[in-house]
């Protein structure tokens, strides 16, 4: 599968997730990629923000220790996000009359993870800013918010394609399921 198909949101990429025997390897690679990129970004931002992490100045912690610790947590977070996205997508597909097919949604939602890469700097900044005590700089760089919006738009467009491939719904029902997914996710994020 050419990765360009995934980023161009072509249905072939999501059919690959459903039909190819190597799709679980791709999903694992995507989980590790997103988790490690997120963890490394958090480590660099923690170092850049300065301050203390659990009472230890971040300048005294070796960067590789910050990166390794945050990457391990990043992979765990990516796995949990993958499972959460799968379950919420399944609920929304069932809500609009789709057959569900949880296993296919699990596979295709793994392919959605790389589409979130543009949003990771904003998420990593938020994590770094909340884990550091007495940061020297707390304003998020201006570029991070448009990147986060672009990542969210890519993700939702990919979810639309994934639901079209796995649920065989009409375009309007699929769009409604994606809108329900977005509304549910936004309401959960507003609580946090």
């Amino acid at each position: 599968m050419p990765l360009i198909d995934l980023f161009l949101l072509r249905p072939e990429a999501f059919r690959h997730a459903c039909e190819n025997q190597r799709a679980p390897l791709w999903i694992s690679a995507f989980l590790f990629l997103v988790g490690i990129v997120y963890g490394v970004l958090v480590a660099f931002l923690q170092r850049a923000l300065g301050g203390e992490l659990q009472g230890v100045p971040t300048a005294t912690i070796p960067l590789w220790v910050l990166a390794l610790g945050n990457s391990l947590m990043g992979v765990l977070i990516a796995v949990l996000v993958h499972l959460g996205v799968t379950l919420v997508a399944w609920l929304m597909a069932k809500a609009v009359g789709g057959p569900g097919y949880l296993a296919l949604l699990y596979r295709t939602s793994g392919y959605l993870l790389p589409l979130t890469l543009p949003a990771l700097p904003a998420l990593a900044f938020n994590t770094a800013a909340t884990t550091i005590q007495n940061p020297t700089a707390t304003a998020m760089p201006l570029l991070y918010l448009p990147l986060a919006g672009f990542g969210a738009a890519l993700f939702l467009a990919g979810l639309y394609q994934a639901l079209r491939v796995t649920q065989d719904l009409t375009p309007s029902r699929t769009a409604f399921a994606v809108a329900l997914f977005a509304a549910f996710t936004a309401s959960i994020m507003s609580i946090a």
Side-chain angles (χ1 to χ4, degrees):
M1 171 199 70
L3 281 178
I4 192 71
D5 285 348
L6 183 59
F7 286 97
L8 292 177
L9 305 169
R10 292 185 177 143
E12 292 80 22
F14 299 102
R15 279 194 205 90
H16 180 273
C18 295
E19 299 165 359
N20 196 291
Q21 291 179 346
R22 294 188 181 208
L25 295 174
W26 281 97
I27 293 167
S28 297
F30 292 151
L31 285 168
F32 278 101
L33 170 75
V34 170
I36 290 170
V37 168
Y38 172 75
V40 168
L41 283 170
V42 170
F44 278 117
L45 288 165
Q46 285 173 332
R47 178 61 64 86
L49 289 174
E52 297 179 346
L53 185 60
Q54 298 295 323
V56 179
T58 56
T60 63
I61 303 172
L63 188 58
W64 71 269
V65 172
L66 281 173
L68 180 63
N70 285 314
S71 293
L72 291 173
M73 291 310 296
V75 171
L76 179 63
I77 290 168
V79 168
L80 294 174
V81 165
H82 178 220
L83 292 173
V85 165
T86 300
L87 291 175
V88 174
W90 176 77
L91 287 170
M92 298 312 157
K94 294 292 281 181
V96 297
Y101 299 134
L102 187 61
L104 293 179
L105 284 171
Y106 176 82
R107 291 175 76 129
T108 55
S109 66
Y111 277 48
L112 294 173
L113 291 172
L115 301 176
T116 65
L117 285 171
L120 291 184
L123 295 172
F125 184 88
N126 187 41
T127 300
T130 56
T131 57
I132 296 292
Q133 292 90 27
N134 305 322
T136 56
T138 55
M140 183 181 294
L142 195 56
L143 180 61
Y144 288 6
L145 289 178
L147 281 174
F150 179 66
L154 266 178
F155 175 85
L156 291 174
L159 179 62
Y160 176 86
Q161 288 297 341
L163 289 174
R164 289 281 294 151
V165 167
T166 61
Q167 305 300 306
D168 198 31
L169 296 167
T170 63
S172 59
R173 283 186 178 215
T174 305
F176 188 54
V178 171
L180 287 174
F181 183 96
F184 178 81
T185 305
S187 66
I188 294 298
M189 291 179 71
S190 70
I191 294 171

